[in-house]
């Protein structure tokens, strides 16, 4: 018979992320670390964190399974990838090669590349095929310790095709141990086959798609790409206002190549503003003085060969920075959160504590989730065990040190 509680330990260092602030810079010295720790799990959540030896004495072995670790482990919260596009079909390897050979955005689009290419491929795919692809990618992330993954639509760009993507994501969520958090990105670009302008497209989508998203509980998040090549702030305000009136959370693809998006995010009280590679001092100040979480996407900078998000400046100005992979077939094909977060850390001079915060509790905040991101009493029992003797090793290996055990909702879901 399975017992109600599980006690795991001893853990050499448990990096709980307890009491670290939602915003601003964090030094490594501020990290609260429990040494020789134990985690008492009750069903899907954490009942208590403490010294393993104390907990072992306190628990009743009749209803507690004791899992005694035989090597040195470091425990971190389950990582959270707060921005991905892992529901897609096709490859854009040709775009990548052309980009590196010096071709422009326009030349790539004219050769049949760009977002529209993925829209075409994704529209051709059956819903089931998209579900399978999403599960496969989600499981790849799960093995690297990512227990919560945001997944966007945005390669459908019509009511039935966006629904197909979001239903595929919903089905995938039921078939992977990771939690998938869906987001509607119908505002990714004006589809080439839409008979009307940007405003008319967004109006059609908000009128016809939003009510179905609510009805089928497909998502509670609406995203849009604010950029000259996609949608302008003036197009987006009415779209976001409608979304907010229906109770959706807002998130924005902002300031990737030119500014404008972060201002919309702040004015609309968005949960997060993602990208920000082009943000200037004014945008940094504005974001830092708001409750919008800035999401850095180093995978897009590495994929495109562009600037990194000014994460150091945002943190120094008092803002909140999460870090996500942006895994997509175009700008960010790598899909490796920990590696990318570590690389961002070296270029932006982020402390290990800030990197960890960016992929744990600050990433949870970017998804408006308060039940995960720290290994403390009451949170979901989502955590990783790395077989090593100091938490610094995790960042030092730049993603090459992967978890030996991944725990999700109180269950061991991956063991190396
Ligand atoms: O976050 N910036 C816009 N959208 C995606 C790219 C999607 C694609 O190229 O397919 C991004 O980088
Ligand atoms: Fe993106």
């Amino acid at each position: 018979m399975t017992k109600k509680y599980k006690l795991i330990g001893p853990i050499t260092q448990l990096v709980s992320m307890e009491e670290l602030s939602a915003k601003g810079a964090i030094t490594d010295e501020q990290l609260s670390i429990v040494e020789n720790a134990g985690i008492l799990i009750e069903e899907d959540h954490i009942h208590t964190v403490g010294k393993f030896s104390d907990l072992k004495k306190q628990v009743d072995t009749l209803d507690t399974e004791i899992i005694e670790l035989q090597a040195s482990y470091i425990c971190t919260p389950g990582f959270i990838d707060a921005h991905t596009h892992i529901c897609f079909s096709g490859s854009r390897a040709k775009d990548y090669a052309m980009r590196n050979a010096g071709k422009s955005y326009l030349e790539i689009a004219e050769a049949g590349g760009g977002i529209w290419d993925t829209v075409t491929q994704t529209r051709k795919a059956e819903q089931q095929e998209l579900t399978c692809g999403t599960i496969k990618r989600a499981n790849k992330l799960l093995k690297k310790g990512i227990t919560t993954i945001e997944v966007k639509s945005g390669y459908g760009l019509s009511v039935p095709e966006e629904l197909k993507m979001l239903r595929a994501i919903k089905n995938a969520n039921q078939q992977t141990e990771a939690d998938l958090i869906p987001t509607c990105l119908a505002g990714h670009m004006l589809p080439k086959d839409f008979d009307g302008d940007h405003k008319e497209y967004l109006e059609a989508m908000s009128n016809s798609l939003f009510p179905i998203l609510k009805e089928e509980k497909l998502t509670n998040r609406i995203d849009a790409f604010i950029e000259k090549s996609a949608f302008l702030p003036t197009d987006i305000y009415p779209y976001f206002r409608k979304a907010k009136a229906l109770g959706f959370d807002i998130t924005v693809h902002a300031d990737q190549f030119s500014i404008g998006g972060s201002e919309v995010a702040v004015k609309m009280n968005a949960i997060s503003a993602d990208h920000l590679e082009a943000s200037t001092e004014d945008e940094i100040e504005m974001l830092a003085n708001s409750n919008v979480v800035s999401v850095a996407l180093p995978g897009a900078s590495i994929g495109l060969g562009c600037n990194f998000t000014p994460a150091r400046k945002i943190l120094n100005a008092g803002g909140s920075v999460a870090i996500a992979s942006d895994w997509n077939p175009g700008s960010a094909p790598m899909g490796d959160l920990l590696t990318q977060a570590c690389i961002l850390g070296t270029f932006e001079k982020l402390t290990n504590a800030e990197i960890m915060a960016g992929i744990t509790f600050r990433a949870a905040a970017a998804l408006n989730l308060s039940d995960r991101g720290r290994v403390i009493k009451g949170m979901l029992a989502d955590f990783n065990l790395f077989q090593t003797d100091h938490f610094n090793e995790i960042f030092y290996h730049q993603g090459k040190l992967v978890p030996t055990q991944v725990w999700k909702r109180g269950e061991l879901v991956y063991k190396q």
Side-chain angles (χ1 to χ4, degrees), residues 83 85 92 115 118 155 188 225 253 256 275 297 300 326 328-331:
H83 181 139
H85 307 248
R92 304 241 298 277
I115 295 172
T118 304
Y155 294 127
H188 203 179
F225 184 21
H253 276 73
Q256 186 180 11
H275 276 294
L297 303 172
D326 197 18
N328 73 70
S331 61

Side-chain angles (χ1 to χ4, degrees), residues 7-11 14 34 36-40 48-52 55:
L7 173 62
I8 303 172
I11 296 160
L14 181 146
V34 187
N36 300 314
I39 307 173
L40 183 64
T48 319
V49 171
K51 291 277 180 203
F52 180 69
L55 291 172

Side-chain angles (χ1 to χ4, degrees), residues 155-173:
Y155 294 127
L157 308 186
S158 69
V159 173
E161 292 295 330
E162 283 292 304
L163 287 174
K164 182 178 85 181
M165 287 195 74
L166 288 158
R167 287 174 184 145
I169 298 166
K170 188 175 180 175
N171 290 341
N173 188 33

Side-chain angles (χ1 to χ4, degrees), residues 74-342:
I74 305 301
C75 174
T76 71
F79 299 144
I80 298 170
D81 194 338
H83 181 139
T84 84
H85 307 248
I86 60 168
C87 181
F88 64 85
S89 189
S91 161
R92 304 241 298 277
K94 195 176 154 201
D95 287 21
Y96 187 82
M98 284 179 77
R99 204 160 50 233
N100 290 350
K103 299 287 182 230
S104 70
Y105 179 84
L106 208 69
E107 286 168 319
I108 294 170
E110 276 167 2
I115 295 172
W116 187 249
D117 179 24
T118 304
V119 172
T120 309
Q121 301 305 321
T122 305
R123 283 181 177 181
K124 278 187 204 153
E126 298 285 344
Q127 186 177 305
Q128 182 56 23
E129 202 180 320
L130 294 178
T131 300
C132 290
T134 306
I135 295 169
K136 209 175 90 192
R137 294 177 195 112
N139 287 344
K140 207 169 158 185
L141 293 175
L142 185 70
K143 286 181 181 175
K144 299 232 170 154
I146 299 147
T147 49
T148 299
I149 306 161
E150 186 259 15
V151 188
K152 299 177 193 297
S153 64
Y155 294 127
L157 308 186
S158 69
V159 173
E161 292 295 330
E162 283 292 304
L163 287 174
K164 182 178 85 181
M165 287 195 74
L166 288 158
R167 287 174 184 145
I169 298 166
K170 188 175 180 175
N171 290 341
N173 188 33
Q174 288 156 1
Q175 296 173 63
T176 171
E177 305 285 356
D179 283 339
L180 305 186
I181 309 295
T183 303
C184 175
L185 180 57
H188 203 179
M189 66 177 277
L190 177 67
K192 291 187 178 180
D193 57 353
F194 182 77
D195 185 17
D197 64 16
H198 292 72
K199 259 201 158 57
E200 288 164 333
Y201 168 71
L202 291 175
E203 203 177 309
M205 295 306 268
S206 54
N207 287 341
S208 314
L209 182 62
F210 287 1
I212 309 173
L213 300 182
K214 284 275 159 195
E215 212 175 282
E216 289 190 34
K217 294 191 171 53
L218 288 170
T219 179
N220 56 14
R221 294 165 45 84
I222 301 294
D223 192 354
F225 184 21
I226 300 183
E227 195 55 58
K228 285 166 193 147
S229 61
F231 295 97
L232 299 175
T234 47
D235 301 325
I236 288 297
Y237 276 115
Y239 183 69
F240 276 170
R241 273 192 213 106
K242 256 190 219 165
K244 284 203 92 168
L246 288 170
F248 289 104
D249 280 345
I250 301 296
T251 174
V252 189
H253 276 73
D255 302 357
Q256 186 180 11
F257 303 110
S258 60
I259 57 166
S262 55
E263 188 180 349
V264 177
V266 171
K267 287 198 172 142
M268 290 305 299
N269 237 321
I271 304 296
S272 76
D274 305 25
H275 276 294
L276 310 172
E277 295 90 334
S279 298
T280 70
E281 302 294 334
D282 287 347
E283 285 73 36
I284 291 168
E285 191 66 25
M286 195 166 46
L287 286 162
N289 289 324
S290 76
N291 287 322
V292 179
V293 179
S294 298
V295 182
L297 303 172
S301 305
I302 296 165
L304 296 172
C306 293
N307 290 345
F308 285 105
T309 304
R312 181 72 268 146
K313 286 187 173 175
I314 298 170
L315 288 166
N316 286 353
S320 177
V321 173
I323 307 167
S325 74
D326 197 18
W327 190 359
N328 73 70
S331 61
M334 183 203 280
D336 189 337
L337 178 64
L338 186 56
T339 301
Q340 294 166 3
C342 291

